[in-house]
Amino acid sequence: MLSIKDALSKDKVGKKVQVRGWIYRTRCSGGIVFAVLRDVTGTIQVAIKKGNVPDDDFEAANKAGIESSVIIEGEVVEDKRAPGGYEIRASGFKLVGAAEAFPITEYQSTELLLDLRHLWIRSREQTAVSKIKASLLRGAREWFYENDYIEVTPPIITGVAPEGSTTLFQVKYYDRIAYLSQSAQFYLESLIYSLEKVYALTPSFRAEKSRTPRHLSEYWHLEMEAAWVDNEGNMKVQEELVSAMVQNAVKECETELKLLKRDVSILKKVQPPFDRMKYDEAMEFLQKKGHEVSWGSDLGAVEERTLTVDRQVPVFVVNYPKELKPFYMKENPDDSRTYKNSDLLAPEGFGEIIGGSERETDNALLIERLRDIGESMDNYQWYLDLRKYGSVPHSGFGLGIERIVTWVCKLDHIRDSTPYPRTVARVYP
Ligand code: 4AD
Ligand code: MG
């Protein structure tokens, strides 16, 4: 048995091969069934001619609809008319699993494609996105491995709300209420006292009630935390990590990126260092571009688009006003109205892919801020303990995997960056 990619090669010409996969397209003309077969590696045209295969097999091939699974045996020939330049002339055809009339045809509404997601994920576009996502993740894991980070496994059921109580999903946890994790950050912070440099890839949950093209209710969150690292060091990790991820996808997935019509030459420019822009400069830039913002305004999708639409490489926005960010960040000694933090915005209009900061180490300040936001201290006692026993300067960040996939694949909507998008409107299939 050969993969389709291996069958599509000059040295296989004239040889008898076996391939298997799913029928992607099929037509019959002049007593020959031309079926395009796909497997994970690619597609190849197969010609099944009456007389060259047993009659029963020819009939089965003639009737087999798209998405039928089949095994084909035959000779590889060079044929300029065939897509890809090669064809298999079949001497054997075996139907493994017949397909009923496939419910997805060429032009379908977005809603129908979401209802039929379990079938739509077979499409060439979705397959390409899945491979690119895997390649980005592999690039990240390799980078962390090469730089001596230790992968850890924080809990998903939790009692803390690092990113605020408005987007929490509650779960009934025996006789109590618990939450689905918004971020593993606090648990990662607790692990740096022994492991120093850690990372985790976990699902994170946000009850985002508005429908936007960049929010999911469940997403994959790649988070890092490191001892002895300040906010500048934190940004260095981010620019190196993101560049390594993107360059790995460029190296491994050129075919898939091209299938999505992604300009790979732009992605090749994603190399460190990335520009750093102070929040104040971002405000000035936005005002010049006609946005009605002033110091203290948050950056939403629209503002982030303006900041990044003419860029090809991500950019950091640093030192946000405290009011806009969570309680755990370290105050900026140069301007106490702001934090030592950064958001990393993807270029070409995409916007935030990472949120990160140096962490506050002063318990008195943390307690004051927790009180201000009305959090019960009981759930945070353990977090405050961390500052009592050998506290050190430390920083970390969280990268939304589906956000980086959306940018790298240049997708219109985040839902296409994941096989089963979870949004306010949908939990099926
Ligand atoms: O900016 P956020 O909320 O930061 C944190 O959760 C920190 N505690 C992370 C840390 O420092 N360890 O989320 C981090 C990233 C965002 O930049 C974005 O990429 C992604 O998570 N994200 C989402 N992705 C998809 N759908 C959503 N609803 C998202 N919310 C955040
Ligand atoms: Mg954020």
Side-chain angles (χ1 to χ4, degrees):
M1 195 68 64
L2 284 184
S3 71
I4 286 176
K5 184 162 155 266
D6 288 343
L8 279 169
S9 80
K10 208 161 190 87
D11 64 296
K12 297 296 178 318
V13 171
K15 303 227 165 78
K16 199 166 189 180
V17 300
Q18 240 190 7
V19 294
R20 64 185 163 197
W22 291 262
I23 295 179
Y24 176 63
R25 266 200 308 267
T26 179
R27 70 190 163 90
C28 187
S29 105
I32 307 178
V33 174
F34 294 97
V36 176
L37 209 65
R38 64 164 176 83
D39 72 3
V40 63
T41 66
T43 58
I44 192 167
Q45 178 164 292
V46 181
I48 308 139
K49 191 173 178 189
K50 201 175 169 97
N52 287 358
V53 296
D55 282 354
D56 286 355
D57 289 352
F58 179 80
E59 272 323 302
N62 199 15
K63 274 198 230 136
I66 64 168
E67 293 305 319
S68 302
S69 48
V70 301
I71 299 175
I72 307 272
E73 199 174 74
E75 189 187 318
V76 179
V77 295
E78 235 174 324
D79 189 331
K80 293 220 163 54
R81 292 163 303 175
Y86 298 92
E87 180 180 271
I88 297 178
R89 305 250 158 100
S91 50
F93 175 95
K94 186 167 182 286
L95 182 66
V96 179
E100 295 178 18
F102 201 60
I104 301 175
T105 52
E106 202 156 352
Y107 299 102
Q108 302 285 3
S109 72
T110 305
E111 274 309 296
L112 185 100
L113 293 179
L114 286 168
D115 285 339
L116 297 176
R117 195 73 177 179
H118 50 298
L119 302 176
W120 176 238
I121 48 173
R122 301 179 184 195
S123 68
R124 299 240 282 160
E125 294 78 8
Q126 286 297 300
T127 304
V129 171
S130 289
K131 287 189 188 175
I132 293 163
K133 190 177 201 177
S135 182
L136 290 166
L137 287 172
R138 187 158 44 239
R141 284 209 165 93
E142 274 169 15
W143 190 90
F144 278 125
Y145 181 69
E146 279 161 16
N147 288 279
D148 301 321
Y149 284 75
I150 295 173
E151 183 167 7
V152 295
T153 56
I156 302 300
I157 301 175
T158 173
V160 291
E163 303 309 313
S165 54
T166 54
T167 60
L168 282 177
F169 277 108
Q170 285 194 354
V171 282
K172 192 167 170 293
Y173 191 69
Y174 305 104
D175 56 353
R176 275 153 291 173
I177 292 293
Y179 311 119
L180 294 179
S181 171
Q182 296 172 318
S183 162
Q185 179 189 322
F186 295 171
Y187 298 100
L188 299 194
E189 283 190 59
S190 70
L191 285 156
I192 60 153
Y193 298 88
S194 50
L195 302 173
E196 297 196 22
K197 301 201 292 186
V198 297
Y199 78 97
L201 176 64
T202 60
S204 276
F205 301 86
R206 306 279 171 107
E208 306 274 8
K209 273 145 207 137
S210 53
R211 296 172 198 220
T212 83
R214 57 181 210 163
H215 289 92
L216 293 167
S217 306
E218 174 182 336
Y219 69 96
W220 284 85
H221 204 171
L222 183 62
E223 293 180 277
M224 154 314 209
E225 196 71 32
W228 316 109
V229 170
D230 63 8
N231 197 47
E232 180 53 35
N234 197 32
M235 289 193 280
K236 285 214 174 74
V237 174
Q238 293 169 52
E239 62 196 3
E240 281 190 30
L241 172 72
V242 166
S243 301
M245 291 171 78
V246 173
Q247 295 319 317
N248 196 55
V250 166
K251 185 178 83 192
E252 294 181 339
C253 296
E254 193 146 4
T255 316
E256 288 75 15
L257 288 162
K258 283 196 174 135
L259 186 134
L260 297 173
K261 304 195 171 61
R262 184 54 157 128
D263 186 344
V264 178
S265 68
I266 295 180
L267 292 177
K268 284 187 177 155
K269 296 180 189 167
V270 179
Q271 306 282 358
F274 300 163
D275 283 349
R276 285 128 170 82
M277 184 195 289
K278 285 234 159 69
Y279 169 87
D280 301 44
E281 296 168 57
M283 279 299 130
E284 266 172 49
F285 183 88
L286 288 167
Q287 283 162 351
K288 278 198 195 115
K289 292 275 177 182
H291 287 260
E292 289 193 8
V293 290
S294 54
W295 203 91
S297 300
D298 205 356
L299 303 181
V302 182
E303 291 78 20
E304 290 182 359
R305 190 181 157 72
T306 302
L307 290 172
T308 61
V309 71
D310 294 325
R311 293 175 177 266
Q312 298 189 328
V313 173
V315 56
F316 289 105
V317 176
V318 296
N319 301 135
Y320 282 69
K322 286 175 173 170
E323 292 71 33
L324 301 178
K325 293 293 174 189
F327 72 92
Y328 53 70
M329 296 183 174
K330 181 147 191 91
E331 189 176 288
N332 177 10
D334 301 328
D335 178 355
S336 62
R337 298 174 305 161
T338 65
Y339 282 138
K340 284 178 93 178
N341 80 312
S342 62
D343 274 7
L344 183 65
L345 311 186
E348 300 173 77
F350 282 91
E352 181 184 347
I353 51 174
I354 294 185
S357 70
E358 194 170 325
R359 316 307 192 187
E360 187 53 72
T361 48
D362 181 330
N363 258 353
L365 281 177
L366 287 172
I367 291 168
E368 195 182 303
R369 294 180 198 158
L370 278 167
R371 283 220 180 92
D372 284 349
I373 56 174
E375 279 291 330
S376 135
M377 226 49 76
D378 297 350
N379 292 337
Y380 292 88
Q381 211 49 61
W382 70 269
Y383 183 65
L384 298 169
D385 264 357
L386 303 177
R387 274 69 179 161
K388 292 188 201 158
Y389 306 99
S391 182
V392 291
H394 63 288
S395 301
F397 62 84
L399 182 164
I401 293 298
E402 286 74 15
R403 292 270 181 97
I404 193 171
V405 170
T406 301
W407 158 49
V408 168
C409 296
K410 215 169 178 183
L411 305 174
D412 293 335
H413 199 293
I414 197 169
R415 65 178 162 237
D416 285 325
S417 66
T418 196
Y420 291 99
R422 295 290 176 241
T423 57
V424 65
R426 184 172 284 279
V427 69
Y428 175 94

